[in-house]
Amino acid sequence: MIDPARPLALVAGAGHLPELVAASLDRARRPFRVLAVRGFTERAMRRRADAVVDLLDIPGTLRILKEWAPAAVVPAGGVTRPSPAALLNAAHAVRNRDILKSLAGGDDRLLRAVLSLLEENGHRVLGVHEVAPDLLGRLGRLGRVEPDSDATLSIASGRAMLGALGPFDVGQAAVVAGERVIAVEGPEGTDRMLARARALNRKPFGRGTPAKGTVLVKLPKLGQDLRIDLPAIGPRTVRRAAEAGCAGIAIGAGHTLVIDREATVAAADAAGLFLIGVEVAP
Amino acid sequence: MIDPARPLALVAGAGHLPELVAASLDRARRPFRVLAVRGFTERAMRRRADAVVDLLDIPGTLRILKEWAPAAVVPAGGVTRPSPAALLNAAHAVRNRDILKSLAGGDDRLLRAVLSLLEENGHRVLGVHEVAPDLLGRLGRLGRVEPDSDATLSIASGRAMLGALGPFDVGQAAVVAGERVIAVEGPEGTDRMLARARALNRKPFGRGTPAKGTVLVKLPKLGQDLRIDLPAIGPRTVRRAAEAGCAGIAIGAGHTLVIDREATVAAADAAGLFLIGVEVAP
């Protein structure tokens, strides 16, 4: 167990997530320090930053964390797909061509490498799901709408298919209508997959109306390191799913971040979509 | 066995395929009659038509085929995604709402239903792959380029992944780079999947150059009725695959139509892409 009195080190990447984690830690009265990453951390968190590092300034980061000696390091928010400026800065900070290449590739090998490095230096690395579990979707219905029998079948076949894809390095979400798979997520991400599903509905002789019981199923992969890659949904996911003709969204309970839960649930209720947490291991 | 002296009935749907099949039958000196489908059969085949039917005029079609008593009926070319006019005509011809619905849905349930009906009426139905096997890709290399070791790994992982997807109603192709799956084909079809893979390469911080050994793997599903849904590639597929950064294309040998083989192979050679037929059951 980690010492709850010792501060955590929240490494704040891009997006809204670091703020949500900070708020969750505040609610839990967990002390923490904020390490901002230049070019990634949003303004709200930059204001709370106790220190700022350059992306990939590994020596500088290790120095600060050694001084802080946090109970655990908590990375939150993206640091992939950096701006050209950030990439150039990083190129000055590190000589490691492999790390730079994976950074440029936008995949998560970089984060994996950094996490290993932190652990090699004696730090414990915890995921958002471990320090702020209140941000995750729980088992069962989250909003007012219940899935009907068509949707329930879609959820089951979507879970089975994503399970079969488990051994392969492919997306963690699909749009499913009954036993028919409308789209499997690749590196393009959930939003673009939903845009594709939407386009398929609109075809001159697509169904016009989408197939009954169309569902977005979003689950982590087996063995996925949630500290690096935590599946997430938010109000935008709900809007896109509604536009794609989905009757609802099924997420892996305890394994999926629900960004801005109130707004997400309100959006689902307003659009008549169900939102349900399902068990991750079928 | 069917009697090679008795004419076949070639039911000519949309596209270039009926012409290719006719040419193959001509080369093999197999006699055949052509049944055109109003609004679908292209001009070249309409000229050769021995009779014309309205889409979904099942009684009329059965009457003609009874008269012809062909050795087998060979459907070739699409009849899904009809024009609004064709759909209206069809609505007059049939009262079967389920068939009309599946027609409007653009899926192959209609063809399945029609094939069953033909078989119930004593007709044998053969696929293009059975009467014109020279149109299919054979095992092994089709062009001049050989897959390298990266591409060979991609082919293996693509085959394994499509195999795992076998039980699910999802596309029959994928773009794979080593063990990473770039895109899985859904109802959008191979061309659009390739466009997606291309877009992923172009991202500001996509690799810029595509991942080494990126391959389009296109295989029939286990148990797929090739009479209804024969995977196909052509010169356009090669162009799109090249644009998507593919090093080559792997197809199921004996299970994939190579439309306009000479042009397809020439396009692959010109673009430096390999084209290889692999065994369908791994």
Side-chain angles (χ1 to χ4, degrees):
Chain A
M1 273 304 297
I2 61 166
D3 178 357
R6 253 170 78 201
L8 297 166
L10 178 61
V11 183
H16 192 43
L17 179 59
E19 246 185 286
L20 294 173
V21 175
S24 168
L25 294 174
D26 284 340
R27 282 194 297 275
R29 299 177 189 282
R30 285 289 299 272
F32 64 97
R33 288 199 177 92
V34 175
L35 184 60
V37 185
R38 211 182 308 277
F40 290 92
T41 310
E42 312 282 342
R43 185 180 307 206
M45 288 307 286
R46 283 205 303 270
R47 281 205 210 99
R48 286 186 75 157
D50 296 282
V52 183
V53 288
D54 270 314
L55 181 69
L56 293 187
D57 176 7
I58 310 282
T61 304
L62 288 176
R63 206 162 40 234
I64 292 166
L65 289 177
K66 190 176 177 188
E67 196 191 303
W68 289 1
V73 179
V74 182
V79 291
T80 51
R81 306 215 175 277
S83 68
L87 204 60
L88 277 174
N89 284 340
H92 290 294
V94 290
R95 301 276 144 79
N96 187 325
R97 281 175 172 275
D98 281 343
I99 286 190
L100 275 177
K101 259 168 75 181
S102 70
L103 180 69
D107 61 29
D108 56 18
R109 270 177 300 173
L110 166 71
L111 259 173
R112 256 179 245 286
V114 172
L115 255 57
S116 300
L117 204 65
L118 289 172
E119 286 173 339
E120 280 166 28
N121 279 269
H123 291 290
R124 178 150 188 193
V125 180
L126 292 179
V128 166
H129 61 297
E130 292 166 300
V131 301
D134 59 320
L135 300 179
L136 305 180
R138 58 173 191 273
L139 200 64
R141 192 160 52 81
L142 288 170
R144 271 201 302 264
V145 186
E146 289 273 11
D148 64 9
S149 59
D150 286 321
T152 303
L153 172 64
S154 304
I155 294 170
S157 61
R159 289 173 78 190
M161 191 209 55
L162 291 174
L165 281 178
F168 304 97
D169 185 8
V170 64
Q172 39 188 25
V175 176
V176 182
E179 305 206 309
R180 192 160 184 239
V181 180
I182 307 297
V184 179
E185 182 180 323
E188 76 278 11
T190 304
D191 281 356
R192 289 191 183 187
M193 177 186 63
L194 287 170
R196 192 157 86 239
R198 182 188 185 187
L200 286 168
N201 286 330
R202 272 193 314 222
K203 283 206 146 190
F205 284 92
R207 279 181 176 77
T209 53
K212 266 168 52 175
T214 300
V215 172
L216 166 64
V217 184
K218 192 167 166 75
L219 297 173
K221 292 170 67 65
L222 278 176
Q224 179 172 330
D225 190 339
L226 299 179
R227 299 176 305 174
I228 289 174
D229 188 11
L230 186 61
I233 64 163
R236 191 177 61 187
T237 318
V238 171
R239 281 198 303 276
R240 297 273 165 95
E243 287 164 2
C246 290
I249 301 173
I251 59 175
H255 290 66
T256 313
L257 189 70
V258 181
I259 301 166
D260 200 346
R261 179 187 305 249
E262 260 182 59
T264 303
V265 170
D269 285 346
L273 263 63
F274 66 82
L275 209 56
I276 194 168
V278 299
E279 279 190 61
V280 161
Chain B
M1 273 304 298
I2 63 166
D3 178 357
R6 252 170 79 202
L8 297 166
L10 179 60
V11 182
H16 193 42
L17 180 59
E19 247 185 287
L20 294 173
V21 175
S24 169
L25 294 174
D26 284 341
R27 284 193 297 274
R29 297 176 192 284
R30 285 289 300 271
F32 64 97
R33 287 199 178 92
V34 174
L35 184 59
V37 184
R38 210 183 309 278
F40 291 92
T41 312
E42 312 282 341
R43 185 180 306 204
M45 288 306 287
R46 285 205 302 269
R47 284 205 208 96
R48 286 187 75 158
D50 297 281
V52 182
V53 289
D54 271 314
L55 181 68
L56 293 187
D57 176 8
I58 311 281
T61 305
L62 287 176
R63 206 160 44 233
I64 292 167
L65 290 175
K66 191 176 178 188
E67 196 190 304
W68 289 0
V73 179
V74 181
V79 291
T80 50
R81 307 216 174 276
S83 68
L87 203 61
L88 277 175
N89 283 341
H92 289 294
V94 290
R95 301 276 144 81
N96 187 324
R97 283 176 170 273
D98 281 343
I99 286 189
L100 275 177
K101 259 168 76 181
S102 70
L103 181 69
D107 62 29
D108 56 18
R109 270 178 299 173
L110 167 71
L111 260 173
R112 256 178 242 288
V114 171
L115 257 57
S116 300
L117 204 67
L118 290 172
E119 287 173 338
E120 278 166 29
N121 280 269
H123 292 289
R124 177 148 188 194
V125 180
L126 291 179
V128 166
H129 61 296
E130 291 165 303
V131 301
D134 60 321
L135 300 179
L136 304 182
R138 59 173 190 272
L139 201 62
R141 193 160 51 83
L142 290 169
R144 272 201 301 266
V145 185
E146 290 272 10
D148 65 8
S149 59
D150 286 321
T152 303
L153 171 64
S154 303
I155 295 170
S157 62
R159 288 172 78 191
M161 190 209 55
L162 291 174
L165 281 179
F168 304 96
D169 184 8
V170 63
Q172 35 187 28
V175 176
V176 182
E179 305 206 309
R180 192 161 183 239
V181 180
I182 308 296
V184 179
E185 183 179 324
E188 75 278 10
T190 304
D191 281 355
R192 287 191 182 187
M193 176 187 62
L194 287 170
R196 193 157 84 237
R198 182 187 186 190
L200 286 169
N201 286 330
R202 270 194 315 222
K203 282 206 145 190
F205 284 93
R207 279 182 176 75
T209 53
K212 265 169 53 177
T214 300
V215 172
L216 166 64
V217 183
K218 193 167 162 78
L219 296 173
K221 291 169 68 64
L222 278 176
Q224 179 171 329
D225 190 339
L226 299 179
R227 300 176 305 173
I228 288 174
D229 187 11
L230 186 61
I233 64 161
R236 192 177 58 185
T237 318
V238 172
R239 280 197 305 276
R240 296 274 164 96
E243 289 164 0
C246 289
I249 301 174
I251 59 174
H255 289 68
T256 311
L257 190 70
V258 181
I259 301 165
D260 200 345
R261 179 185 307 249
E262 261 181 59
T264 302
V265 171
D269 285 345
L273 262 63
F274 68 81
L275 209 55
I276 194 167
V278 298
E279 280 190 60
V280 161

